[in-house]
């Protein structure tokens, strides 16, 4: 890619949401407290990267980390005209995250083969591939597709912070579809965590394998 000046800095929620609507295939913002970073090339705003608590409180558990020691790289939304290699942007964003949140010991991210992603940018940034997540479900409720985490038989769901809010039940939904698993990549930030992550290492997929690689039994 062509060389250019690169700047990465924190951005407001409003700037972040606007970038997702413009450059990300899913415009909704992840739930929970986020670390939002903007990307500029030659003083031109070209996108955002964000980290958050992840969709599961057990995100880093298998690597010996609590929910306060682990997070998810949950969005990379860049203009198609950006010039910097995404792997370089990821590396700088991680350095900024570690400075802002020094207690983080592991970062997890996911690449969605349904939209043609196999995780090449994470491979280039030195992340470790640990296989695919299990297949999931999504539900059609009043014309909107909902993730399985937003539908519960009990009719309520726990949000970050422990608050419970009402949600649809499976029987209330009009349709259910199976969603294939995602490729999981992990970045250990301490030697102790690296030992555990290396034990889970699998052969990383290539671009032409993404859609057909088998599920192992969860962006970006």
């Amino acid at each position: 890619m062509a060389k250019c000046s690169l700047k990465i800095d924190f951005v407001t929620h409003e700037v972040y949401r606007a970038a997702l609507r413009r450059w990300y295939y899913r415009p909704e913002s992840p739930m929970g407290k986020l670390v939002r970073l903007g990307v500029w090339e030659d003083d031109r705003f070209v996108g955002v990267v964000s980290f958050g608590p992840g969709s599961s409180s057990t995100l880093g558990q298998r690597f010996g980390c609590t929910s306060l020691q682990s997070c998810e790289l949950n969005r990379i939304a860049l203009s198609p005209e950006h010039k910097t290699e995404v792997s370089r942007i990821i590396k700088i964003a991680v350095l900024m995250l570690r400075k802002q949140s020094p207690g983080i010991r592991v970062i997890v991210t996911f690449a969605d083969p349904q939209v043609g992603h196999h995780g090449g940018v994470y491979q280039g940034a030195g992340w470790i591939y640990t296989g695919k997540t299990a297949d999931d479900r999504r539900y059609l409720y009043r014309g909107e597709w909902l993730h399985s985490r937003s539908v519960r038989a009990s009719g309520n769901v726990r949000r970050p912070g422990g608050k419970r809010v009402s949600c649809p039940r499976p029987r209330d939904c009009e349709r259910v579809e199976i969603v294939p698993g995602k490729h999981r990549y992990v970045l250990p930030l301490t030697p102790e965590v690296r030992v555990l992550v290396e034990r889970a290492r699998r052969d990383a997929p290539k671009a032409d394998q993404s859609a057909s690689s088998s599920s192992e039994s969860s962006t970006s």
Side-chain angles (χ1 to χ4, degrees):
M1 288 190 172
K3 290 185 177 181
C4 61
S5 66
L6 176 66
K7 175 185 174 182
I8 298 179
D9 202 354
F10 299 96
V11 294
T12 65
H13 179 70
E14 290 72 24
V15 170
Y16 174 74
R17 287 295 303 274
L20 292 187
R21 289 192 294 267
R22 186 174 182 184
W23 294 313
Y24 199 70
Y25 70 103
R26 289 165 47 201
E28 72 275 11
S29 175
M31 293 188 300
K33 186 177 181 180
L34 302 177
V35 175
R36 301 175 295 263
L37 298 170
V39 183
W40 287 262
E41 293 176 338
D42 294 332
D43 297 323
R44 182 173 66 94
F45 182 66
V46 296
V48 293
V49 177
S50 69
F51 302 87
S55 55
S56 170
S57 60
T58 61
L59 186 71
Q61 194 173 75
R62 66 184 294 195
F63 308 117
C65 298
T66 68
S67 59
L68 296 178
Q69 297 170 325
S70 56
C71 71
E72 180 181 338
L73 195 174
N74 49 27
R75 293 290 187 272
I76 300 176
L78 298 171
S79 162
E81 288 78 35
H82 78 89
K83 302 174 183 178
T84 309
E85 291 183 352
V86 181
S87 58
R88 183 187 174 203
I89 292 173
I90 292 173
K91 289 179 179 179
I92 297 173
V94 168
L95 289 175
M96 295 186 67
L97 171 73
R98 297 186 70 178
K99 185 175 181 180
Q100 191 263 357
S101 303
I104 297 296
R105 299 175 62 199
V106 67
I107 308 173
V108 183
T109 194
F110 304 92
D112 190 351
Q114 279 201 302
V115 294
H117 298 167
H118 72 291
V121 296
Y122 306 117
Q123 295 174 27
W127 294 51
I128 297 172
Y129 180 70
T130 63
K132 285 184 73 175
T133 66
D135 291 348
D136 202 350
R137 290 178 173 83
R138 65 174 186 165
Y139 297 83
L140 183 62
Y141 178 70
R142 295 181 178 178
E144 180 182 2
W145 284 104
L146 303 177
H147 191 276
S148 61
R149 291 188 298 271
S150 299
V151 178
R152 289 286 187 271
S154 63
N156 62 78
V157 62
R158 188 186 299 275
R159 295 301 187 197
K163 182 180 179 180
R164 286 193 173 275
V165 298
S166 299
C167 71
R169 295 177 172 86
R171 67 171 182 261
D172 300 326
C173 299
E174 305 152 35
R175 185 176 169 187
V176 58
E177 287 187 355
I178 300 298
V179 180
K182 297 180 181 180
H183 297 297
R184 184 195 301 107
Y185 288 85
V186 183
L187 182 66
L189 301 179
T190 69
E192 296 80 10
V193 174
R194 177 168 290 277
V195 171
L196 298 176
V197 176
E198 285 289 355
R199 292 175 184 171
R201 182 190 287 270
R202 300 291 183 270
D203 291 335
K206 299 178 181 179
D208 59 356
Q209 295 176 330
S210 182
S212 60
S213 57
S214 59
S215 175
E216 188 184 307
S217 195
S218 317
T219 131
S220 226

